[in-house]
Amino acid sequence: MAASTFYAGSSELVTVVHKDSAGVAIPHSTITEARYILKNDQGDTLLKYALSSPAGWKTLTADSAAGTFTFIIKEPDGKDWIKGKVFLETWIKITDSAMTDGFKPMNQVHIFNVSETNYSLQ
């Protein structure tokens, strides 16, 4: 996933595919929870998405393809984002007998370069 330009106040559909060490998409039946956190380069949390939608989190959608999840950044959600980088942190909880500590951090990736706009004039 290469970083793209996000204009403050725009909308964006983001798709993430989780793969195992062999590069094969992890089946949805194995992923019991997925959580994504968007942060700016100052480390501030911008948005949080989860499959189970706990309080304070937005909805993450399981796509029909194995290991694939999507979420939408809606126009009002990004209107106050400052110029800079946005990173996506992904965490999943899988059914794996060797994994006993709950969530597994998958990665943190730079997904957007935020460009300022005068949102109030749009």
Side-chain angles (χ1 to χ4, degrees):
M1 181 182 289
S4 61
T5 301
F6 181 89
Y7 295 97
S10 63
S11 297
E12 187 79 25
L13 172 69
V14 179
T15 302
V16 178
V17 180
H18 294 284
K19 296 182 179 181
D20 63 17
S21 60
V24 177
I26 300 170
H28 286 301
S29 60
T30 305
I31 301 173
T32 59
E33 176 65 288
R35 294 188 178 185
Y36 299 168
I37 302 169
L38 291 173
K39 294 183 176 182
N40 62 20
D41 48 3
Q42 288 79 35
D44 301 322
T45 297
L46 302 171
L47 293 170
K48 301 183 294 185
Y49 295 86
L51 194 55
S52 64
S53 298
W57 294 67
K58 296 184 178 293
T59 304
L60 181 62
T61 304
D63 193 76
S64 59
T68 305
F69 296 91
T70 60
F71 63 90
I72 299 173
I73 301 168
K74 296 181 180 175
E75 183 179 355
D77 296 332
K79 70 180 180 70
D80 295 324
W81 290 5
I82 58 172
K83 184 176 178 180
K85 295 179 180 180
V86 173
F87 297 91
L88 171 65
E89 241 179 54
T90 60
W91 296 75
I92 62 172
K93 191 173 189 178
I94 59 174
T95 55
D96 183 342
S97 60
M99 195 177 119
T100 58
D101 58 352
F103 284 96
K104 177 180 182 181
M106 293 301 289
N107 64 10
Q108 178 174 303
V109 64
H110 171 207
I111 63 167
F112 294 125
N113 292 308
V114 177
S115 292
E116 294 174 339
T117 61
N118 190 341
Y119 181 79
S120 63
L121 296 179
Q122 303 304 317

